[in-house]
Amino acid sequence: ANVPTKDVSYVGMLEPRKHTTEGLAVARTVAQAAGLQTYAEVTNTTDQPIILHPQTPVGTFCALQEEDIADYIDPSPQPGRSTSSKPQVDLDKTLPQAQAKQLRELISTYSDLFSTD
């Protein structure tokens, strides 16, 4: 097993805990850990303050083997940097031409976010 130690820096997967503070959302992410610490992106999804005390567990961190890291890296281009051909879009013919053009540009820019299946 790949067990983290306090003297080593490594990359791992942070998984949110199933039972955490209500209203607290934790991002599932691949992160760098130094020793036994890493950063976690958390969001308060309520209108009320949430207090997190030091050492409050918000997720589970599992060190990854180097060959596993590529499985979690998204090689797709960023929005606005698409290298693929423009997606084929069948739009409603009643949509005004200017709006249709804007919609096609938006879909093309963010094409990596849409399924092609």
Side-chain angles (χ1 to χ4, degrees):
N2 193 5
V3 179
T5 64
K6 66 180 182 176
D7 300 325
V8 178
S9 180
Y10 48 91
V11 174
M13 172 65 75
L14 175 66
E15 295 275 356
R17 289 182 62 150
K18 291 187 191 306
H19 303 288
T20 187
T21 305
E22 188 170 334
L24 183 70
V26 179
R28 178 180 186 241
T29 187
V30 173
Q32 179 77 33
L36 297 175
Q37 296 182 353
T38 190
Y39 291 94
E41 184 174 329
V42 296
T43 302
N44 179 353
T45 61
T46 72
D47 293 335
Q48 302 300 315
I50 295 176
I51 297 173
L52 289 177
H53 299 284
Q55 306 300 315
T56 301
V58 295
T60 304
F61 192 86
C62 177
L64 295 173
Q65 298 294 329
E66 190 172 326
E67 58 271 12
D68 296 331
I69 295 171
D71 294 339
Y72 297 99
I73 297 174
D74 182 6
S76 63
Q78 297 297 316
R81 300 183 192 151
S82 178
T83 57
S84 62
S85 61
K86 290 187 176 185
Q88 297 297 320
V89 181
D90 185 22
L91 299 178
D92 185 339
K93 303 293 185 216
T94 62
L95 191 63
Q97 190 172 6
Q99 289 180 352
K101 181 181 180 206
Q102 286 180 317
L103 182 56
R104 279 193 183 91
E105 289 173 359
L106 181 71
I107 291 171
S108 179
T109 299
Y110 294 97
S111 63
D112 59 321
L113 301 177
F114 299 103
S115 174
T116 57
D117 296 335

